[in-house]
Amino acid sequence: YRYKFVVQVVSAFLLVLSGNWLDSLGGLFGIYSVPALLGVPITVFAVVYVTNAINLIDGIDGLSSGLCCIALSVLSVIFFIQGQYIYTLLAVCTLGVLIPFWCYNVFGNANRGHKLFMGDAGSLTLGYVISFLIIHLCVSNGSFPDRSNPYLVIAFSTVLVPLLDVIRVVLHRLREHKNPFLPDKNHFHHKLLRTGMRVRMVMVTILCVSVFFIALNLLLADANCGSGEFGMIPYQGQILEYFCSGSYFMNVWGVDGKEMYTRAMRKDEQALEAYRQLGVHVAAAIKIVVLTVDPEMIVFGGSVTAAHELFEESMYEDLKDFAYPNSIKNLKIRFSKLENPGLFGAASLCYDK
């Protein structure tokens, strides 16, 4: 196990060298930005932890591969929603390879030579791929490190069962003064097997527990979400936040937001046109929120005390032809009263159901 552990640590550092290290917790425990001095070792630990968790829970047919199928399905949806199609493709392709294996592993007949087994090579590879996908969700690449990320908890909840099982098993081995790295018969599935449950029923039970944790975190994330997930929705070949945040002016017009505001105050035609177009994009953001959660109120954050007057007219003009007039009519749209209106952050909207 020592050689495996060394290889896993080196492999984890390869992720760090590629730029994929945990630099944001997205508001988890009230923490957003994470310095490299702390983020890099946490990333290495997380990769090794998840990789071994998937490997150690591979004790009965279909369990480890089934948990990985669930995790990859959820992760592929998250990356698709965020518009990160390369990572969606990685998750879907891995899932596509894994599903036939799971079928032969669970329903195959060994006597006829139709049964497949995973082994350490398969489980460690799956654990490494899943840990890479989860860690990538924590990477802000220096942009919007203070934005909440509700998908982060959901992503980790996909492997919560094996993660908790590892903690319980290691603590038990240490309490019994045994080597925590040597195998035993004290895993979650071993406990259930000793109750008299059949192997396949144990597998189904643990998979259902995993689905339960994911569904619970989805409900909790939905109950406490802000607008970060809406900002990641694909929109006009980019993401919504590209067109509806303070970076819009630099992204589209090549001018800093504060400078654009100053020009607009001087009645510069180009600046005024930029704000008019921004109003159309902000209206699109409102429509997406209305169609998704049908809120009673939308509040725009950021320093928009004065800036919203520059795009408000075009925003309401674009909302006039919206297919849900009653929703818009009853919707309360408010702008935060913050100082320093030169810095614009219209995409930082929140909603109240």
Side-chain angles (χ1 to χ4, degrees):
Y1 66 87
R2 293 184 180 89
Y3 297 111
K4 289 182 182 179
F5 186 75
V6 171
V7 173
Q8 290 166 13
V9 172
V10 172
S11 300
F13 270 109
L14 293 178
L15 288 187
V16 174
L17 293 176
S18 70
N20 286 280
W21 58 275
L22 191 148
D23 64 350
S24 174
L25 287 183
L28 185 64
F29 307 121
I31 302 173
Y32 289 88
S33 297
V34 177
L37 191 62
L38 188 61
V40 170
I42 291 178
T43 300
V44 174
F45 172 78
V47 172
V48 175
Y49 184 16
V50 173
T51 301
N52 281 283
I54 298 297
N55 179 46
L56 292 175
I57 206 168
D58 183 28
I60 58 176
D61 290 344
L63 180 55
S64 180
S65 55
L67 290 171
C68 289
C69 283
I70 295 172
L72 290 167
S73 299
V74 175
L75 291 171
S76 64
V77 172
I78 292 175
F79 282 115
F80 182 79
I81 292 174
Q82 291 189 340
Q84 301 189 53
Y85 301 120
I86 295 297
Y87 299 95
T88 304
L89 184 63
L90 173 60
V92 171
C93 288
T94 309
L95 178 63
V97 172
L98 196 56
I99 290 176
F101 167 83
W102 183 85
C103 293
Y104 277 98
N105 184 231
V106 175
F107 304 107
N109 190 327
N111 296 326
R112 296 181 179 181
H114 295 163
K115 195 172 185 67
L116 295 176
F117 297 95
M118 183 174 292
D120 284 353
S123 58
L124 291 174
T125 301
L126 287 172
Y128 187 71
V129 171
I130 291 174
S131 64
F132 164 68
L133 293 172
I134 293 175
I135 291 299
H136 185 75
L137 288 173
C138 308
V139 180
S140 68
N141 291 323
S143 61
F144 310 109
D146 296 330
R147 183 179 58 201
S148 62
N149 185 4
Y151 294 124
L152 178 61
V153 174
I154 298 172
F156 272 102
S157 69
T158 61
V159 290
L160 191 59
V161 169
L163 293 182
L164 293 178
D165 184 59
V166 167
I167 294 175
R168 191 193 62 79
V169 169
V170 169
L171 290 178
H172 180 269
R173 292 173 185 174
L174 292 175
R175 187 179 61 186
E176 299 293 327
H177 305 289
K178 297 179 180 179
N179 190 329
F181 295 100
L182 294 180
D184 60 12
K185 297 290 186 179
N186 197 45
H187 286 277
F188 186 19
H189 49 275
H190 293 136
K191 295 282 189 179
L192 294 179
L193 287 171
R194 283 197 286 271
T195 65
M197 296 177 63
R198 301 175 68 177
V199 172
R200 193 166 297 177
M201 183 57 65
V202 170
M203 177 200 67
V204 172
T205 300
I206 297 178
L207 294 185
C208 289
V209 171
S210 180
V211 172
F212 169 76
F213 280 130
I214 296 170
L216 179 62
N217 279 287
L218 280 170
L219 292 174
L220 293 175
D222 181 65
N224 295 281
C225 64
S227 65
E229 63 271 35
F230 288 102
M232 298 306 295
I233 290 176
Y235 174 72
Q236 293 195 8
Q238 296 288 338
I239 57 175
L240 191 61
E241 193 166 32
Y242 186 93
F243 294 93
C244 298
S245 69
S247 61
Y248 160 75
F249 300 107
M250 183 60 70
N251 292 336
V252 178
W253 297 86
V255 179
D256 179 75
K258 183 178 289 188
E259 174 63 23
M260 187 67 80
Y261 176 77
T262 302
R263 293 184 186 180
M265 290 293 97
R266 296 172 183 170
K267 305 300 180 182
D268 180 83
E269 282 298 324
Q270 185 187 46
L272 293 175
E273 176 60 25
Y275 274 100
R276 281 192 290 269
Q277 292 187 23
L278 176 64
V280 175
H281 298 310
V282 172
I286 293 175
K287 294 174 184 178
I288 291 173
V289 175
V290 169
L291 290 172
T292 306
V293 295
D294 192 21
E296 296 178 359
M297 178 185 295
I298 290 180
V299 179
F300 286 87
S303 304
V304 295
T305 307
H308 74 87
E309 298 176 355
L310 297 170
F311 69 85
E312 203 169 9
E313 182 179 352
S314 61
M315 179 188 75
Y316 282 114
E317 181 68 24
D318 193 73
L319 290 173
K320 284 197 312 183
D321 298 327
F322 189 39
Y324 291 81
N326 292 331
S327 298
I328 292 296
K329 181 179 179 180
N330 298 324
L331 181 67
K332 300 181 183 69
I333 299 177
R334 300 288 185 267
F335 295 89
S336 62
K337 301 297 183 181
L338 300 178
E339 297 179 356
N340 187 19
L343 295 177
F344 185 77
S348 303
L349 60 90
C350 61
Y351 56 82
D352 182 6
K353 292 184 179 181

